Amino acid sequence: MTAELVRGQNHPLSQSRLEIRISAGTPVVAAAALGDENGRIHGTEWVAHPGAPTQPGLEVSRQAAADHRLAVDLDAMTDAVHRVSVLLALPAPGGGPGPVRFGAVAAPFVAVTGLDGTEVASYTITGLEAESAVIALELYRRQGAWKVRAVGQGYAGGLAELLADQGLSQAQQLAAGIGEAVARGLARSVQAPPPRPSDGDRSRQAAAPAVGPDQGGTAPQGAPGPVPPAYGGQPAGRPGQDGPQPAYGGAGAADPSPATGGGPIDYSHPRRQTSAPPPPPPAAPPARPGQPAQPVAGDATGWSMEERLYNQVWGMFEDLARTTAAYRSAVDFAESRMDKELEQALSDPRSRIGGQGDAAREAARARHGRLVDQAREALDRDLDQLVAEAEVVEPALPPAFARWDNPVWHAYRVPMEIPMALRLGDLRLPEADRIRIPMLLRLPLERGLWIDSGRTGSLDGPFHDSHDMRRLAMETAVVHAARLLAVYPAGEFTVHVVDPAGSGAQALVPLTQTGVLAAPPAVGAAGVTDVLGRLTQRVDLVQMALRGGAPDALPPGFDTSQQLLIVNDFPHGFDDRAVNQLRYLADEGPSVGVHLMMVADREESAGYGPLLDPLWRSLLRLTPVADDHLADPWVGHAWTYEPPLVPPGSQVLHQVLTQVAAARRSWDR
């Protein structure tokens, strides 16, 4: 799954040999600069540019072009190199016609890919105005591992100002030399491809033969350049409340190559113009005559198998909602028709007494039974197909989407990338008790979680007293936290626990014994004050850095991982200041990577009155036992939520957290 970065965001790199693909709406100059641990460039030999396109571990384009490919070999970098900055600049005005500021052209798109064309991370550089040079992104070394960060820092003074800001004393001379090299190669620059047709106009376009740079010519003005073949995708899904959110199947272009003949059909995704096309979805085996097609895992639209499975789960949720709505509508119609016929039979005085009236009533009830049976038959037919699909989809789900009893956890390894979603439990409807739909929540979290330890409104579950509910709620919170830790790369997710009275100590054993917590659970009022103070200060620091446009200005050693705070037994141990800090974290924390998981009974905090109503509304309510409190907005079903359960006696949670702890210790060294 490609990580689509925003300014300041980073992503781990699992490969050392990479390509950096650049797509712009106009010819630009691409260069790469090597920096030390402080980001400083030690000399002109530390910069790969059109005049000197190769450096150890680096190779850049020899000319200005609308599309570039830069080759990077991180293993070939010397120990003194800790940063590789990708630089883009508009050609100097004296070198020919063209824009002089990035604000006048389309936002450049940069993608980091493997040698096989698989995208690792991408970044669209937005927000530029008067700048004529920009640091697009940087690859940097941290504790022996490499990461990519989206930078997007622009300079109105061009390359000279950019290089000087990186500590290069010969910035003016090098910028002038790059300008001369670009001017010498302008006759061989690659023109921008023609505009992509709109989604509604996907007719086949004829393309003129492309003149490559090695032929020593240029494409005529206004003539289309090389048009890459591409594959299209259709959006899937529909937004739902408290359920999985829709993802859209991506489409991208294959490697640019000269087009011949009638030309390819351009179905390219506007943000994946330089990506390899997705592999075709798995094909279903041919169905027998008169039988429905056999379901296949991953046959939905999507750019990767993970995205396809996500969209397929969402499609199953939507199908179940619709077929159940059709069944309920048919039953309601049958009942209203029977009531109308019975009313008509009773309204006639002649049919109130005797066999005629009885026959009319029996006929009305018989028609009602036939209509209900037909509706149930249609529902069962659809459910059979959904059950068959669930039976092939569930075993194919990745760990982030899978139940704890899925065998995929036995082969678990700490991931290198953040998944697109997380399973929080299952959803079901009373008419379809034999099928469960995974409840997937997109990552990173956009709101906190509330594990309700109070009494639920469901009447079909077993009775639990208040003590049992508190214990079950805390155990559920631990299971959710364990999954979050398991699906994030090492060092990218940190968990804090506030347990003022120590009542959750037993439930927290899987987290405390394996050592995955940032620190032991905070107890007492002093512990609450300390943890809330540190996290509140963290939110303030990150917000100030982002608002000031300087995300790199955070203090040295600042932990940039996502943070989760588990709060047990609220409001015990919380004074008014702590309550206000908690509300602040719930409101402002998710936007800067600080998330909240409350384990609380709302009734116990009733003394605060309406003060805490915004807090509860800002959190996604989950229950430790099955409860029908979730609803989809367009059909209106009340879905029964079932929390994720670890099989009794299973050691899967301990095994997974042990691997997470080992990976974290290795990362911290």
Side-chain angles (χ1 to χ4, degrees):
M1 178 63 187
T2 303
E4 296 185 357
L5 306 179
V6 297
R7 177 176 291 185
Q9 190 176 6
N10 61 53
H11 188 74
L13 296 174
S14 59
Q15 307 175 52
S16 60
R17 301 183 66 189
L18 304 164
E19 270 193 353
I20 298 176
R21 302 184 178 186
I22 300 162
S23 179
T26 187
V28 296
V29 180
L34 305 177
D36 60 13
E37 63 273 11
N38 298 316
R40 296 180 62 84
I41 304 173
H42 285 208
T44 57
E45 69 276 8
W46 282 46
V47 182
H49 56 84
T54 59
Q55 298 293 347
L58 275 178
E59 183 174 0
V60 303
S61 304
R62 299 175 181 268
Q63 60 190 31
D67 296 276
H68 290 271
R69 291 191 183 187
L70 281 60
V72 180
D73 187 354
L74 298 174
D75 287 341
M77 304 291 175
T78 64
D79 292 339
V81 175
H82 288 258
R83 187 176 302 181
V84 181
S85 300
V86 177
L87 319 176
L88 304 181
L90 294 170
V100 296
R101 62 187 185 91
F102 275 108
V105 301
F109 174 80
V110 187
V112 180
T113 76
L115 296 185
D116 59 355
T118 304
E119 274 191 14
V120 178
S122 63
Y123 174 42
T124 302
I125 310 171
T126 58
L128 299 178
E129 290 295 339
E131 299 86 348
S132 60
V134 60
I135 302 176
L137 50 79
E138 62 182 15
L139 314 179
Y140 64 101
R141 196 198 312 252
R142 177 187 176 188
Q143 298 177 349
W146 285 89
K147 291 188 174 186
V148 56
R149 177 187 291 123
V151 181
Q153 168 107 31
Y155 295 84
L159 273 175
E161 182 182 359
L162 185 156
L163 294 170
D165 190 49
Q166 301 294 305
L168 182 63
S169 58
Q170 308 98 326
Q172 290 286 351
Q173 299 90 320
L174 181 57
I178 294 174
E180 292 176 2
V182 171
R184 289 195 302 268
L186 273 179
R188 303 170 64 202
S189 63
V190 179
Q191 297 297 319
R196 169 182 175 269
S198 65
D199 289 339
D201 179 18
R202 292 181 173 177
S203 58
R204 186 179 295 271
Q205 304 283 340
V211 180
D214 292 336
Q215 273 85 22
T218 61
Q221 293 294 329
V227 181
Y231 299 82
Q234 295 297 328
R238 182 186 300 185
Q241 174 182 332
D242 292 339
Q245 296 297 314
Y248 292 89
D255 298 341
S257 58
T260 59
I265 301 174
D266 184 6
Y267 286 178
S268 60
H269 190 292
R271 298 186 65 187
R272 289 189 173 131
Q273 295 174 348
T274 56
S275 302
R288 295 180 179 179
Q291 297 295 324
Q294 298 183 31
V296 176
D299 64 349
T301 58
W303 187 254
S304 64
M305 180 56 73
E306 180 190 39
E307 190 173 4
R308 288 172 178 167
L309 288 169
Y310 175 89
N311 287 342
Q312 189 169 9
V313 168
W314 173 250
M316 293 165 59
F317 174 83
E318 204 173 51
D319 289 345
L320 181 56
R322 287 173 174 167
T323 192
T324 306
Y327 170 74
R328 292 180 179 180
S329 178
V331 172
D332 290 343
F333 170 76
E335 291 179 350
S336 64
R337 178 174 175 173
M338 182 180 67
D339 291 341
K340 184 177 180 179
E341 291 176 346
L342 291 176
E343 182 180 357
Q344 289 176 349
L346 293 174
S347 64
D348 187 354
R350 293 171 299 179
S351 62
R352 292 178 184 174
I353 302 175
Q356 187 177 357
D358 293 339
R361 287 189 287 270
E362 288 299 327
R365 294 188 180 98
R367 279 190 290 270
H368 171 268
R370 286 196 299 271
L371 289 174
V372 172
D373 290 342
Q374 291 173 4
R376 187 71 214 191
E377 183 181 351
L379 175 65
D380 289 340
R381 184 173 58 249
D382 292 340
L383 290 181
D384 288 341
Q385 189 69 10
L386 283 172
V387 169
E389 187 172 8
E391 288 176 352
V392 299
V393 168
E394 189 69 45
L397 294 178
F401 299 176
R403 289 197 300 252
W404 286 108
D405 59 357
N406 193 312
V408 71
W409 288 106
H410 296 298
Y412 169 78
R413 295 292 182 271
V414 178
M416 296 296 295
E417 294 185 356
I418 301 172
M420 66 182 299
L422 179 83
R423 187 171 188 160
L424 292 180
D426 293 328
L427 299 172
R428 63 176 171 87
L429 291 172
E431 294 87 350
D433 193 60
R434 53 195 174 115
I435 184 172
R436 303 291 190 271
I437 305 296
M439 178 179 171
L440 303 180
L441 190 71
R442 292 298 296 266
L443 292 178
L445 298 175
E446 295 182 355
R447 58 192 298 199
L449 304 177
W450 167 29
I451 316 300
D452 191 353
S453 60
R455 295 183 61 182
T456 67
S458 180
L459 299 178
D460 58 352
F463 173 77
H464 296 280
D465 61 22
S466 59
H467 177 75
D468 286 341
M469 287 298 293
R470 290 192 181 94
R471 175 182 56 81
L472 290 172
M474 197 60 196
E475 290 176 354
T476 304
V478 169
V479 171
H480 287 312
R483 186 180 289 264
L484 281 164
L485 285 163
V487 303
Y488 270 84
E492 294 292 334
F493 199 83
T494 303
V495 177
H496 310 266
V497 177
V498 167
D499 187 19
S503 60
Q506 184 63 34
L508 289 167
V509 165
L511 301 180
T512 55
Q513 282 190 350
T514 54
V516 293
L517 295 178
V523 296
V528 172
T529 301
D530 177 62
V531 173
L532 292 180
R534 285 189 286 109
L535 290 178
T536 302
Q537 183 183 35
R538 174 193 177 85
V539 172
D540 291 337
L541 285 174
V542 177
Q543 284 187 339
M544 286 189 293
L546 293 177
R547 289 169 183 167
D552 291 335
L554 294 168
F558 187 85
D559 182 10
T560 59
S561 66
Q562 299 277 309
Q563 309 284 310
L564 175 68
L565 172 62
I566 302 176
V567 177
N568 186 33
D569 269 355
F570 177 82
H572 302 295
F574 282 75
D575 55 19
D576 290 343
R577 175 181 173 82
V579 169
N580 287 330
Q581 288 177 322
L582 198 65
R583 285 190 54 188
Y584 178 72
L585 292 178
D587 294 338
E588 304 294 335
S591 63
V592 292
V594 178
H595 311 287
L596 191 61
M597 184 185 292
M598 298 281 292
V599 182
D601 180 359
R602 184 172 181 174
E603 294 299 325
E604 294 184 357
S605 60
Y608 286 94
L611 174 67
L612 291 181
D613 287 348
L615 172 65
W616 305 118
R617 287 195 297 267
S618 69
L619 303 174
L620 172 59
R621 177 176 175 256
L622 303 174
T623 54
V625 295
D627 188 33
D628 54 352
H629 68 283
L630 296 178
D632 59 73
W634 80 94
V635 178
H637 295 325
W639 291 80
T640 297
Y641 166 78
E642 295 181 347
L645 299 176
V646 178
S650 173
Q651 296 298 312
V652 62
L653 205 65
H654 184 271
Q655 294 169 2
V656 168
L657 290 177
T658 299
Q659 290 193 46
V660 171
R664 178 173 178 171
R665 288 192 295 270
S666 176
W667 175 263
D668 290 338
R669 282 202 292 266

